[in-house]
Amino acid sequence: SEVKEHYEIAERMGWWSQLDLTGQCASLLHHWKSSYRWEDLAGVRYRAWDPYSWRPMAGREVLLKHLSSYTPGRWYAITNLLQDIWDTDAFAMHPQQPYGRKSEQRKTKDIREKWEKSDGETYIGMLASTLHELGIVELGYDRADALETKTQLNPQFFLLTESGKTALSLMG
């Protein structure tokens, strides 16, 4: 009763204490990619598209793959990242069901608008919540008072940090 409550390293957590911050981050990213219990925030303009075929966890690996191709320490527009994902992995969060009727996954203007409000906002939310909190990315806004307003805003820019790039490379 005279000892302040605290955590003690248990047998199963000894390995964690041996990792540096980047190693711990890589371990958390690995867990994040496959954890159904880890919820990311959505972008502020999120609108559900097709909740029955939507698999947001599939987007985590896609986002990490795309981020690993960026140069750390440089600012990029999030719209460019989303365009890269749209061009190569547009339907990653909407896999075809093997037992269902095959629907066409064509890139039309209407589908792009739905994708931006659903999948695009999901990717923005991943950047603005989990990946920012883990120090993988820094976020930028086009308004100086963006963090001071009562209105929630999506970030417009991101910067891959040096430690973020290292953590991504440790994941293999």
Side-chain angles (χ1 to χ4, degrees):
S1 64
E2 296 176 17
V3 177
K4 181 179 176 183
E5 289 186 29
H6 63 281
Y7 290 106
E8 292 186 16
I9 296 176
E11 183 179 313
R12 294 176 55 188
M13 288 301 287
W15 64 272
W16 179 263
S17 66
Q18 302 302 313
L19 296 174
D20 63 5
L21 188 59
T22 304
Q24 289 176 349
C25 184
S27 180
L28 286 170
L29 281 175
H30 182 72
H31 176 70
W32 173 70
K33 280 186 354 182
S34 59
S35 176
Y36 288 98
R37 293 180 180 214
W38 194 316
E39 292 189 33
D40 300 295
L41 299 178
V44 298
R45 291 183 294 276
Y46 173 80
R47 298 293 175 262
W49 174 13
D50 181 5
Y52 297 106
S53 72
W54 191 58
R55 304 290 178 265
M57 278 185 44
R60 292 174 178 177
E61 182 130 10
V62 167
L63 182 56
L64 294 179
K65 176 184 84 171
H66 283 270
L67 283 176
S68 66
S69 69
Y70 284 83
T71 303
R74 289 185 54 199
W75 288 98
Y76 296 94
I78 290 176
T79 55
N80 292 344
L81 172 63
L82 294 178
Q83 183 64 48
D84 290 345
I85 294 171
W86 170 257
D87 290 343
T88 59
D89 296 299
F91 301 108
M93 288 195 240
H94 299 274
Q96 291 284 336
Q97 299 298 326
Y99 52 82
R101 208 170 52 167
K102 298 291 183 199
S103 65
E104 292 189 46
Q105 292 185 329
R106 294 188 313 201
K107 294 180 178 179
T108 64
K109 183 181 177 185
D110 182 52
I111 295 296
R112 176 63 189 252
E113 289 174 6
K114 290 177 182 177
W115 185 91
E116 285 178 356
K117 291 177 184 171
S118 178
D119 298 31
E121 289 292 313
T122 300
Y123 288 120
I124 291 170
M126 290 176 188
L127 285 169
S129 60
T130 300
L131 297 178
H132 179 253
E133 291 165 2
L134 289 176
I136 303 298
V137 297
E138 293 295 330
L139 303 173
Y141 298 84
D142 61 0
R143 291 176 43 182
D145 66 341
L147 300 178
E148 299 167 7
T149 67
K150 291 183 180 183
T151 305
Q152 291 184 335
L153 300 170
N154 280 337
Q156 287 81 34
F157 306 97
F158 75 95
L159 176 144
L160 178 64
T161 64
E162 288 288 342
S163 61
K165 181 72 169 187
T166 303
L168 290 172
S169 70
L170 290 174
M171 294 181 60

